[in-house]
Amino acid sequence: MTDAPWKGGKCQVPMWMGGGPAGYCAEEAFGPQYPREYLAHHDGRYLFDRPAYCFGPCCPNHGGPKAGDPIIFQDGYTKQGRPMWCAVMPDFENLQESEAGFDGNPVRAVTNLLADLETKP
């Protein structure tokens, strides 16, 4: 059984040495790697370049969230067939107990989450 997509762990970006695999980054990660659209919006270095491949938790150096930042993961598809993004805070438990923002654009999903958090007492 795999961990929930919003959980952290050790960074799973593959490392290479001399053209061969040399393990994983293994730095502390606080969630999965941000979608490319979100990284391009918040970090200019990913505007035309792709972030390092990461399947699993991803450290901030490789495009993952920093401690306390929103976490974004894919949760199904939109009516147009594009990925639906779910944005949650690090203390997320489930949709009944925690706030979440959804949208086909990861930037708007985080905006929706932050707007919901502002309206809560």
Side-chain angles (χ1 to χ4, degrees):
M1 182 171 146
T2 60
D3 285 337
W6 57 87
K7 298 295 182 188
K10 297 290 182 183
C11 183
Q12 295 298 306
V13 170
M15 297 284 105
W16 302 88
M17 181 181 285
Y24 295 96
C25 171
E27 291 291 322
E28 186 174 9
F30 303 101
Q33 189 174 48
Y34 282 136
R36 186 174 180 188
E37 299 94 342
Y38 188 82
L39 289 171
H41 181 74
H42 288 284
D43 190 344
R45 67 183 166 157
Y46 293 117
L47 187 57
F48 300 107
D49 194 14
R50 291 182 288 162
Y53 173 78
C54 186
F55 185 73
C58 189
C59 71
N61 293 331
H62 290 116
K66 296 176 184 159
D69 282 356
I71 297 166
I72 305 171
F73 58 92
Q74 185 181 345
D75 187 37
Y77 293 90
T78 64
K79 291 179 183 177
Q80 295 79 24
R82 295 188 40 95
M84 175 66 76
W85 299 104
C86 178
V88 299
M89 294 308 288
D91 61 350
F92 180 77
E93 290 296 323
N94 59 49
L95 289 174
Q96 289 75 31
E97 299 175 22
S98 304
E99 297 299 321
F102 291 90
D103 199 280
N105 180 315
V107 175
R108 287 193 304 259
V110 171
T111 302
N112 294 341
L113 167 66
L114 297 176
D116 283 350
L117 290 173
E118 285 179 5
T119 62
K120 296 296 176 188

